């Protein structure tokens, strides 16, 4: 009996797909870090500092719709068409924001970009789920995380240099061009991918995904109305908030596993944990560049380097949890990640105090990033392990939706808090402290939820017996 070495993600059967996924994630990473770096300058230039949260939250809101639409499309036609359409929307939205001379077209471009970003993300995860065997998926998750390293080092300083040498508009123009180039480079390898993928029949789940579009639209509209209600002194804010809550209540239930909001053991708690942790982290990450620029007079490039440090610690933790033999059970790694994430959020909050050095905030984000590097990949792996084969796609989509929705709602809530406490640039210590304290309160809930991600022992045995 002879044995052969197991193929890797860069072996001949998977090389083209791996390069396609990796290069697209590099684009997404570079765009996210570069645009986060220039966003404080862009919104101030357009006179829309109070709409800072909408620029980020709106991106995530439309991303919810893009996620569901792309999921159904990928089930029916394979991930390549959805990925190409998503890249076109992403580039078109960046171009629209880059040419904007006022707040409204700028926000509209961000929303179009979010629609494309949601489609790109889910299409890439469908590629990983369909075209790689189970043993190669953890390696792909590690590779995906590694795709953030170079962009994290060059994205913020390049964006800062472009802003200082030209203007923030050219950063958006550059992102649009990179999206088109990525589409041209990836079209050929993606065209070779079989629509049905590995271990899954073509068209499976398309009907289910299609039925989820209407509730996704309701949730996105509801989240958008809540953001609108929390932005400055807008008219009809009470009516908008009430309508948003109604739409959320009506649309959320079909999109999440039963018992998610009650932290039911197993898949529901995994989905809730993904949303809670991602919402807290993304909120802190969103406001740190603005705080460092406005309150501590850092340059946009220097402020963006705080994102670089967090990306590096995130990768280090992801590499650690992706080792073939973990020194502890994966559930414990997820719990440790949740606790470290909370500690980082607490450190970032302490950095808002004038008595603390500004670098404290950046260190807090780096610590939180390490926690997320342990937590998020583990949540994804455990979700696939606990899911029957015919529910893996739906449960993975629920993870992404929980991530986006929690981030949208928390960023919107913190935007309302920031606007309420806002005085003027340089005197907003209380406003930033309110934002970071809210994020910390949410991050603190991740620890108790992480203790409920494992099914009860009897249910575990039953599930293994069924498989």
């Amino acid at each position: 009996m002879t044995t052969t070495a197991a193929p890797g993600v860069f072996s001949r059967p998977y090389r083209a797909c791996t390069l396609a996924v990796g290069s697209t994630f590099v684009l997404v990473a570079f765009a996210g870090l570069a645009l986060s770096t220039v966003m404080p300058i862009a919104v101030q230039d357009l006179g829309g500092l109070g709409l800072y949260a909408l620029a980020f939250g709106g991106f995530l809101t439309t991303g919810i719709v893009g996620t569901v639409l792309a999921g159904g499309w990928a089930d029916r036609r394979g991930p390549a068409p959805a990925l190409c359409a998503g890249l076109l929307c992403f580039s078109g939205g960046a171009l629209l924001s880059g040419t904007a001379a006022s707040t409204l077209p700028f926000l509209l471009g961000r929303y179009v970009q979010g629609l494309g970003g949601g489609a790109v993300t889910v299409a890439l995860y469908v590629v990983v789920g369909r075209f790689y065997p189970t043993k190669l998926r953890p390696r792909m998750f590690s590779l995906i995380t590694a795709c953030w390293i170079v962009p994290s080092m060059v994205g913020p300083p390049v964006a800062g240099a472009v802003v200082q040498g030209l203007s923030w508009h050219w950063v958006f123009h550059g992102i649009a061009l990179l999206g088109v180039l990525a589409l041209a480079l990836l079209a050929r390898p993606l065209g070779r991918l079989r629509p049905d993928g590995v271990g899954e029949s073509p068209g499976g789940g398309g009907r289910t995904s299609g039925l989820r579009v209407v509730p996704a639209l309701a949730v996105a509209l509801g989240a958008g109305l809540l953001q609108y209600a929390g932005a400055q002194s807008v008219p009809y804010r009470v009516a908008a908030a009430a309508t948003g809550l109604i739409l959320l209540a009506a649309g959320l239930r079909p999109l999440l596993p039963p018992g998610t909001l009650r932290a039911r053991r197993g898949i529901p708690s995994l989905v809730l944990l993904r949303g809670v942790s991602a919402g807290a982290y993304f909120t802190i990450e969103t406001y740190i560049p603005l705080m460092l620029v406005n309150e501590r007079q850092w340059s946009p490039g220097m402020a963006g380097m705080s994102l670089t440090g967090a990306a590096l610690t995130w990768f280090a933790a992801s590499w650690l949890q992706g080792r073939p033999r973990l020194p502890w059970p994966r559930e414990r790694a997820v719990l440790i990640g949740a606790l470290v994430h909370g500690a980082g959020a607490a450190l970032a909050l302490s950095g808002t105090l004038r008595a603390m050095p500004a670098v404290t905030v950046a260190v807090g984000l780096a610590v939180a990033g390490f926690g997320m590097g342990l937590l998020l990949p583990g949540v994804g792996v455990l979700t696939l392990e606990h899911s029957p084969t015919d529910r893996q796609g739906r449960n993975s989509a629920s993870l992404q939706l929980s991530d986006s929705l929690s981030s949208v709602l928390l960023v919107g809530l913190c935007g309302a808090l920031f606007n309420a406490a806002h005085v003027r640039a340089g005197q907003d210590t209380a406003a930033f402290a309110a934002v970071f304290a809210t994020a910390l309160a949410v991050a603190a809930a991740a620890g108790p939820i992480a203790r409920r991600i494992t099914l009860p022992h009897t249910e575990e045995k039953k599930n293994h017996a069924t498989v």
Side-chain angles (χ1 to χ4, degrees):
M1 180 178 179
T2 60
T3 59
T4 57
V9 295
F10 286 104
S11 60
R12 183 179 296 273
Y14 306 108
R15 185 181 303 139
C17 185
T18 298
L19 293 175
V21 172
S23 57
T24 308
F25 266 111
V26 167
L27 166 66
V28 172
F30 181 84
L33 291 162
L35 296 183
S36 294
T37 300
V38 305
M39 200 64 68
I41 305 299
V43 296
Q44 289 187 68
D45 183 46
L46 296 174
L49 183 60
L51 299 176
Y52 185 78
L54 285 178
F56 283 97
F59 179 93
L60 296 174
T61 299
T62 55
I64 293 174
V65 181
T67 294
V68 176
L69 289 175
W73 194 359
D75 283 336
R76 295 188 300 271
R77 303 291 184 183
L83 181 55
C84 293
L87 283 171
L88 287 175
C89 279
F90 191 83
S91 295
L95 183 62
L96 180 57
S97 290
T99 55
S102 62
T103 302
L104 184 59
F106 177 80
L107 291 178
L108 180 60
R110 287 291 290 168
Y111 297 165
V112 174
Q113 194 179 12
L115 185 68
V120 168
T121 300
V122 74
L124 290 174
Y125 275 94
V126 170
V127 169
V128 174
R130 284 192 172 193
F131 296 95
Y132 292 89
T134 303
K135 292 183 178 180
L136 288 183
R137 290 173 190 166
R139 300 181 190 178
M140 278 303 299
F141 281 127
S142 296
L143 175 65
I144 288 170
T145 304
C147 290
W148 286 76
I149 294 180
V150 173
S152 71
M153 292 187 291
V154 303
V158 167
V162 172
V163 170
Q164 293 178 354
L166 297 171
S167 82
W168 63 266
H169 296 274
W170 285 98
V171 178
F172 282 86
H173 295 161
I175 296 300
L177 177 60
L178 288 176
V180 174
L181 290 176
L183 181 61
L185 292 173
L186 303 180
R188 184 174 181 182
L190 287 176
R192 297 196 187 109
L193 301 180
R194 292 183 292 115
D196 56 327
V198 175
E200 188 165 338
S201 60
R207 178 184 176 88
T208 301
S209 299
L211 294 175
R212 287 156 56 91
V213 172
V214 173
L217 288 170
V219 167
L221 180 58
L225 288 173
L226 288 175
Q227 291 180 72
Y228 173 80
Q232 297 181 323
S233 299
V234 296
Y236 312 113
R237 63 189 307 172
V238 175
T243 304
L245 289 173
I246 292 172
L247 289 172
L248 280 177
L252 189 58
R253 186 173 182 179
L255 300 177
L256 299 176
T260 296
L261 299 181
R262 294 182 285 105
R264 180 180 172 186
R265 283 192 172 275
I267 297 295
S269 286
L270 285 166
V271 172
L272 181 61
L273 179 60
R274 169 71 176 263
V276 165
S277 56
Y281 181 85
F282 187 80
T283 300
I284 295 173
E285 184 187 55
T286 298
Y287 278 91
I288 278 181
L290 183 65
M291 180 203 160
L292 293 174
V293 171
N294 283 9
E295 300 300 304
R296 302 301 183 98
Q297 290 73 52
W298 284 25
S299 68
M302 285 295 297
M305 290 303 292
S306 64
L307 308 182
T308 300
L312 293 175
T313 57
W314 188 316
F315 168 72
S318 177
W319 175 85
L320 180 64
Q321 69 81 36
R323 296 173 61 189
R325 295 181 180 179
L326 282 174
W328 48 68
R330 192 167 298 277
E331 291 83 358
R332 185 175 299 174
V334 170
L335 175 59
I336 293 173
L339 297 177
V340 173
H341 177 215
L347 190 58
L349 173 61
S350 70
T352 62
L353 302 176
R354 288 288 182 178
M356 299 292 290
V359 73
T360 305
V361 178
V363 173
L365 183 62
V367 173
F370 188 88
M372 291 292 283
L374 289 176
L375 188 151
L376 253 65
V379 167
V381 171
L382 290 173
T383 298
L384 292 176
E385 289 180 358
H386 292 336
S387 300
T389 303
D390 59 351
R391 298 282 297 185
Q392 287 183 348
R394 184 183 179 99
N395 288 339
S396 296
S398 294
L399 287 178
Q400 185 64 34
L401 289 169
S402 177
D403 183 315
S404 299
L405 181 60
S406 177
S407 299
V408 166
L409 296 179
L410 193 56
V411 169
L413 173 62
C414 289
L417 292 174
F418 183 85
N419 291 333
H422 171 60
V423 179
R424 60 178 177 270
Q427 298 185 12
D428 281 335
T429 298
F432 285 107
V435 168
F436 288 6
T438 302
L440 172 59
V442 174
I449 296 172
R451 297 180 182 276
R452 300 182 58 82
I453 61 177
T454 304
L455 291 170
H457 184 62
T458 54
E459 292 188 29
E460 283 280 6
K461 292 175 65 176
K462 181 178 178 181
N463 286 346
H464 286 307
T466 302
V467 175

